[in-house]
Amino acid sequence: MQTQDLRDAVLRHLTYSLGKDPAHAQTNDWRLALSFAVRERIVDPWFASTRATYGGKHKRVYYLSMEFLIGRLLEDAVVNLGLMDAADEVMSGFGQNLHNVLSDEPDAALGNGGLGRLAACFLESLSTIGCPAYGYGIRYEHGLFKQSFRDGRQMESPEDWLLRRNAWGFPRPEASFRIGFNGRVAERDGKPVWEPSEAVLASAHDTPIIGWQGRWANTLRLWEAKPVDIFDLDRFNRGEFAAAAEAEASARTISRVLYPDDTTYQGKRLRLQQEYFFTAASLRDIVRRFDSEYDDPAWLPQKVAIQLNDTHPAIAGPELVRILHDEKGMEIDRAIETARATLNYTNHTLLPEALEKWSEELMSDLLPRHMTLIQRIDEHHAQEKPNRKVRLIENGDVKMGELSFVMANRVNGVSALHTELMKQTVFEDLHAQYPDKIVNQTNGVTPRRWLLSANPRLSNLIAGEIGMDWVDDLEQLARLEPLAEDSAFRKAYRDAKRANKAELSQWFRDTHDVALDPDAMFDVQIKRIHEYKRQHLNILEAIALWQEIRDNPNGDWTPRVKIFGGKAAPGYVFAKEIIYLINSVAKVLNADPVTSKFLKVVYPPNYNVTLAEKLIPAAELSQQISTAGKEASGTGNMKFALNGALTIGTLDGANVEIRELVGADNFFLFGMTASEVVERRKVHEHAAKAIAADPRLARALDEIRAGTFSDGDGERFRSITDNVSGHDYFLVSSDFTDFWRASREVDRAYRDSTSWTRMAVLNTARSGWFSSDRTIRGYMGDIWGASAVPA
Ligand SMILES: *Cc1c(COP(=O)(O)O)cnc(C)c1O
């Protein structure tokens, strides 16, 4: 019945929504027809969710995020609606392969990495739990750039997910707001009124996000920037064609591209415009919805919880005060208190260069009223805490982390370690003033995408043992624990991993013309390229291992394939050098007839959500090797552990909690702790000393300097060798020796496949806590005071 209905709907949409004759339909048409047919089944639960929220006057959660790294949506929807088998049958009936149809969807990359992917996992969990919520962000015309390699170097080209028709976004031109910039603050009836001199329209596009089993759907509302006046007809008629379209082009620039850097800001003015644009549109929408139900703005904190994902929407503080005070006439201190009771802030990084600051000059120019309100908020803070040490404006800069902190009801870190370090470092003084404000919410990942759909072999195996309750109650995986001792189960578990590896090897053969041995250990490091993540430590270890295999080619080596993936911000020169080095090393190692059967290095370009879904189920070793104290949480680490990859890692971010939960025996720990890192940095010439003490490291660096990986050009990777042997802020040299030790321990452990599989099973069985459902329940209880709407 379900299959027949779906079949009819696909055919109807192909014919009447797309205007395609089935005889001539292409994969893209079938994919869109299936998407529309599936979307149809989302709309009713979506409306029902909205009605239930209004009907019950429930508190709503608003998640403001500059990034949503959502990836493909069709498979997610099909899986959550329980339509996988039906869709498979229907597509086969039309002579199509469901897998090919699903793979045709562009990967929506409206984010850089972990922060954006977290937002996407949260949306799915909020719907699964049935918590009334909206995600708010920007509908970038071009998401994160596409990465390719030319002679080993990163090349960037624009991403174009909207070139083909987007099946999921409902345009809502009726929901648009005029967003002003610049101008001046005038006084009317003794009250300040901002009179912007420029404006753009923020126009909404809604994507329904359906939860597990289709019980609830929330909305992701993304804003598109449009001109207020479409077009200058007078100029056009005078023949000034380009000039006639100028205003339009300049307005559209605001939602044109995602900034490809999640740790520093650039294109300052446009970036601040983007931040204000989506924050202001979202707040207006939130207040409009609130006003439609309640008369008194003082009620706002009871009915609305707003989460700021990092400081990118930090302007929400002054903007909400402006709405409450300037527009609604609430007394200023009450407006500040009301806004503050409504807003919460998630901190994602302790890297000082990544804490946003805006020059007072730029802020006063672009948002003059907000600048005075920030000063007023600063005074309010000073009155409240007369012995305060922190000012919101310092050396001519507005400090957005501090502003967010002061304007938040709760501030959270994203792993236990990160939250503690936040209290001791970036927000030490503010924490002393507001000791109850900081709370922890360790990140999580959605098991629907990262286990159920990404890894069907393992999911089926699990379902055969414990049923399906784990899908929205991931700690049920603990019931697998006794099976770690069951040899038949271990064999089935190993077979599932082996089949995933074989499938991945086939993909590498087909798409990258490289042969991988599916019996070798698959060792994976996929994440943004950044010095603190230390991909260069990993490649140095590969070089040293290669040298040792060459010394002793008849040795008893454990075959390994090292898989790298990740993009570098286009302006981050050092990160791009790391990419170039990895690719250059790969070329030499893979061509070595003696060693390549033991060690290969591959680096598929354009790492994104879709590629992560391919690689993680086939991974056996998860590289989580950041300099301790630098990775706020990580979520890649959780996806790997859940899929049965063992971690080699430092005590950083959520690695700490992963190790505690899976057990120290099932985790390969190495490296300095966060406090040892701080101490080590004080040691004079720490890198030189580490190199002098480890001939392997010295020899690996010499090999790079000798030009082995650069056609004899000893200078090519100077920036890397100089850094690692000189300043070495991220302590690659100091951690190398212990990394090598742990890596050889991994090799030994891998040779005992029984015990390796036992450890892998225990990683899966004990990773249930890392579900983003658990994280969201934590936010609901500790931060938002929100509840799920009963079914
Ligand atoms: C999970 C994920 C990340 C985050 O990875 P980390 O290892 O935690 O930095 C980044 N990008 C994509 C595409 C992901 O799926």
Side-chain angles (χ1 to χ4, degrees):
M1 192 57 213
Q2 201 177 45
T3 307
Q4 189 53 44
D5 284 354
L6 189 66
R7 189 190 157 78
D8 293 347
V10 168
L11 209 51
R12 173 162 47 80
H13 280 293
L14 187 72
T15 313
Y16 299 105
S17 304
L18 296 162
K20 270 279 172 168
D21 181 338
H24 301 294
Q26 313 275 305
T27 308
N28 179 58
D29 303 313
W30 288 110
R31 196 249 310 161
L32 284 169
L34 178 62
S35 302
F36 289 140
V38 169
R39 192 177 78 170
E40 222 167 53
R41 282 157 174 71
I42 297 178
V43 170
D44 287 329
W46 191 25
F47 288 177
S49 305
T50 305
R51 283 191 209 109
T53 305
Y54 273 99
K57 302 226 160 203
H58 295 286
K59 186 168 191 172
R60 291 185 185 82
V61 169
Y62 295 101
Y63 197 81
L64 270 58
S65 180
M66 194 86 168
E67 304 190 7
F68 286 94
L69 193 53
I70 47 187
R72 293 174 177 158
L73 290 180
L74 178 54
E75 183 169 351
D76 226 29
V78 169
V79 164
N80 277 359
L81 290 170
L83 290 172
M84 208 57 185
D85 293 339
D88 196 16
E89 209 181 314
V90 167
M91 284 296 127
S92 306
F94 290 125
Q96 302 297 311
N97 172 297
L98 178 63
H99 179 75
N100 290 345
V101 170
L102 296 175
S103 304
D104 180 66
E105 184 177 353
D107 181 288
L110 309 183
N112 277 291
L115 172 152
R117 184 53 233 173
L118 183 74
C121 283
F122 279 4
L123 288 180
E124 201 272 351
S125 279
L126 281 160
S127 291
T128 289
I129 289 169
C131 175
Y134 287 74
Y136 277 112
I138 298 177
R139 184 175 183 265
Y140 301 105
E141 192 179 329
H142 304 289
L144 185 59
F145 68 87
K146 274 191 196 152
Q147 178 196 54
S148 59
F149 298 135
R150 190 197 293 158
D151 302 327
R153 291 179 188 267
Q154 172 173 295
M155 298 287 143
E156 299 111 27
S157 55
E159 188 283 337
D160 53 13
W161 71 299
L162 289 178
L163 274 191
R164 288 185 291 157
R165 186 163 168 182
N166 173 20
W168 304 108
F170 290 92
R172 304 280 192 223
E174 72 282 9
S176 24
F177 295 97
R178 203 184 160 99
I179 307 299
F181 296 102
N182 303 94
R184 63 185 198 116
V185 181
E187 244 191 45
R188 214 170 292 147
D189 308 326
K191 280 169 52 180
V193 186
W194 178 28
E195 293 176 343
S197 57
E198 285 171 34
V200 299
L201 278 190
S203 182
H205 293 256
D206 286 351
T207 297
I209 305 291
I210 186 83
W212 172 236
Q213 294 188 325
R215 285 188 294 249
W216 187 270
N218 286 316
T219 304
L220 170 60
R221 175 162 276 196
L222 299 177
W223 300 105
E224 177 191 14
K226 289 183 177 173
V228 174
D229 304 310
I230 307 175
F231 186 62
D232 190 337
L233 192 57
D234 287 343
R235 293 188 97 167
F236 189 87
N237 288 340
R238 288 200 297 271
E240 300 165 25
F241 304 131
E246 229 167 64
E248 167 164 23
S250 120
R252 290 194 186 277
T253 301
I254 292 179
S255 56
R256 186 92 66 198
V257 287
L258 165 78
Y259 273 102
D261 194 336
D262 51 0
T263 54
T264 56
Y265 62 94
Q266 44 186 279
K268 290 188 174 60
R269 188 187 164 83
L270 180 57
R271 172 80 178 188
L272 183 56
Q273 274 187 308
Q274 286 187 327
E275 293 182 354
Y276 180 66
F277 164 77
F278 99 93
T279 304
S282 307
L283 283 179
R284 249 161 268 190
D285 205 31
I286 292 166
V287 170
R288 174 194 60 75
R289 195 171 294 116
F290 173 86
D291 285 346
S292 76
E293 288 185 276
Y294 308 100
D295 298 328
D296 185 355
W299 273 66
L300 197 66
Q302 267 97 284
K303 293 295 170 188
V304 170
I306 298 173
Q307 192 66 36
L308 309 181
N309 193 24
D310 213 316
T311 55
H312 314 141
I315 199 69
E319 173 68 6
L320 189 52
V321 173
R322 192 191 65 77
I323 293 173
L324 292 173
H325 176 69
D326 295 9
E327 293 184 3
K328 296 194 176 292
M330 190 184 273
E331 188 274 320
I332 184 77
D333 288 300
R334 264 192 76 208
I336 293 173
E337 287 304 329
T338 305
R340 179 196 249 181
T342 310
L343 298 167
N344 306 283
Y345 156 57
T346 304
N347 172 275
H348 282 276
T349 174
L350 309 171
L351 302 179
E353 71 271 23
L355 282 174
E356 285 185 299
K357 286 190 181 106
W358 296 109
S359 83
E360 212 175 331
E361 198 184 330
L362 174 60
M363 186 70 80
S364 309
D365 187 44
L366 198 65
L367 301 169
R369 178 60 182 146
H370 298 78
M371 190 62 231
T372 55
L373 285 170
I374 292 166
Q375 285 155 350
R376 186 64 185 74
I377 291 166
D378 197 35
E379 278 166 34
H380 183 90
H381 170 54
Q383 284 157 13
E384 184 175 74
K385 307 285 175 186
N387 60 347
R388 59 127 182 209
K389 289 193 189 135
V390 174
R391 282 156 196 284
L392 304 186
I393 304 155
E394 211 169 58
N395 303 324
D397 284 328
V398 182
K399 301 191 294 181
M400 304 309 270
E402 285 75 2
L403 174 64
S404 302
F405 191 108
V406 167
M407 283 306 293
N409 183 42
R410 288 280 179 273
V411 175
N412 77 286
V414 289
S415 72
L417 176 68
H418 166 68
T419 300
E420 278 318 300
L421 292 173
M422 232 167 81
K423 292 177 183 171
Q424 293 162 23
T425 60
V426 269
F427 295 132
E428 187 187 4
D429 293 328
L430 284 168
H431 174 59
Q433 308 259 274
Y434 303 93
D436 300 327
K437 211 179 246 204
I438 295 183
V439 295
N440 177 245
Q441 299 298 339
T442 299
N443 284 168
V445 299
T446 167
R448 272 73 63 188
R449 182 180 289 259
W450 294 109
L451 182 52
L452 182 61
S453 43
N455 197 343
R457 290 188 184 91
L458 181 54
S459 302
N460 287 335
L461 178 64
I462 295 170
E465 297 294 341
I466 63 170
M468 291 292 280
D469 290 353
W470 58 274
V471 176
D472 61 352
D473 182 10
L474 199 59
E475 298 205 47
Q476 294 277 338
L477 291 181
R479 290 163 57 200
L480 296 173
E481 231 181 86
L483 294 168
E485 301 306 326
D486 176 331
S487 66
F489 181 80
R490 277 199 310 265
K491 178 172 186 315
Y493 189 98
R494 194 157 55 238
D495 289 348
K497 182 65 82 180
R498 176 64 170 66
N500 290 343
K501 291 168 68 185
E503 191 178 307
L504 183 65
S505 304
Q506 187 61 46
W507 178 80
F508 268 103
R509 197 186 321 273
D510 295 345
T511 58
H512 294 81
D513 199 26
V514 46
L516 303 182
D517 171 10
D519 288 315
M521 181 201 311
F522 280 21
D523 158 340
V524 186
Q525 187 175 23
I526 46 175
K527 46 183 78 247
R528 283 301 284 254
I529 310 298
H530 204 292
E531 284 165 278
Y532 84 78
K533 292 180 184 273
R534 298 199 296 192
Q535 282 90 357
H536 47 335
L537 173 59
N538 195 0
I539 200 68
L540 273 170
E541 191 265 333
I543 295 169
L545 180 58
W546 172 66
Q547 293 172 319
E548 235 156 88
I549 299 173
R550 276 204 306 181
D551 290 347
N552 180 11
N554 297 317
D556 203 9
W557 303 104
T558 305
R560 227 193 240 241
V561 176
K562 271 193 184 288
I563 303 173
F564 288 87
K567 299 178 184 179
Y572 190 171
V573 176
F574 196 89
K576 292 175 121 176
E577 288 297 305
I578 293 174
I579 291 178
Y580 192 22
L581 177 62
I582 296 169
N583 280 322
S584 303
V585 170
K587 197 168 157 202
V588 171
L589 269 55
N590 297 350
D592 188 322
V594 176
T595 63
S596 63
K597 57 180 177 293
F598 297 121
L599 179 60
K600 276 204 172 133
V601 176
V602 290
Y603 193 160
N606 205 40
Y607 176 56
N608 58 15
V609 172
T610 302
L611 187 54
E613 289 165 358
K614 245 192 252 307
L615 296 175
I616 292 169
E620 295 173 290
L621 186 68
S622 160
Q623 296 275 351
Q624 306 299 337
I625 60 177
S626 52
T627 313
K630 294 293 174 190
E631 186 72 86
S633 163
T635 48
N637 48 5
M638 301 167 187
K639 301 167 196 166
F640 281 106
L642 191 57
N643 283 278
L646 305 191
T647 306
I648 181 168
T650 49
L651 281 180
D652 201 16
N655 293 355
V656 177
E657 288 148 277
I658 291 176
R659 180 167 172 268
E660 274 166 17
L661 282 165
V662 306
D665 292 345
N666 306 304
F667 184 109
F668 298 95
L669 179 69
F670 80 97
M672 287 175 281
T673 62
S675 54
E676 285 165 354
V677 161
V678 173
E679 288 310 306
R680 180 78 189 179
R681 282 209 187 100
K682 297 176 188 159
V683 174
H684 181 62
E685 304 215 315
H686 53 79
K689 283 175 181 154
I691 295 165
D694 189 337
R696 278 195 192 95
L697 172 57
R699 189 177 170 206
L701 287 166
D702 285 343
E703 191 86 65
I704 300 174
R705 290 194 196 100
T708 304
F709 310 109
S710 44
D711 308 310
D713 175 0
E715 293 297 297
R716 188 170 304 165
F717 298 113
R718 266 288 291 276
S719 62
I720 294 178
T721 50
D722 281 1
N723 182 293
V724 166
S725 56
H727 180 55
D728 195 20
Y729 181 77
F730 294 99
L731 299 158
V732 167
S733 289
S734 293
D735 264 346
F736 180 89
T737 308
D738 204 30
F739 182 51
W740 173 273
R741 174 205 52 78
S743 301
R744 301 293 76 75
E745 210 174 285
V746 170
D747 284 342
R748 277 192 298 280
Y750 191 75
R751 305 173 75 88
D752 181 347
S753 75
T754 300
S755 104
W756 183 276
T757 309
R758 183 183 294 123
M759 292 194 282
V761 171
L762 289 176
N763 266 262
T764 300
R766 295 173 178 175
S767 290
W769 191 73
F770 296 103
S771 168
S772 45
D773 301 345
R774 183 270 310 154
T775 313
I776 285 298
R777 288 201 174 90
Y779 277 84
M780 288 167 66
D782 304 344
I783 300 180
W784 301 328
S787 317
V789 175

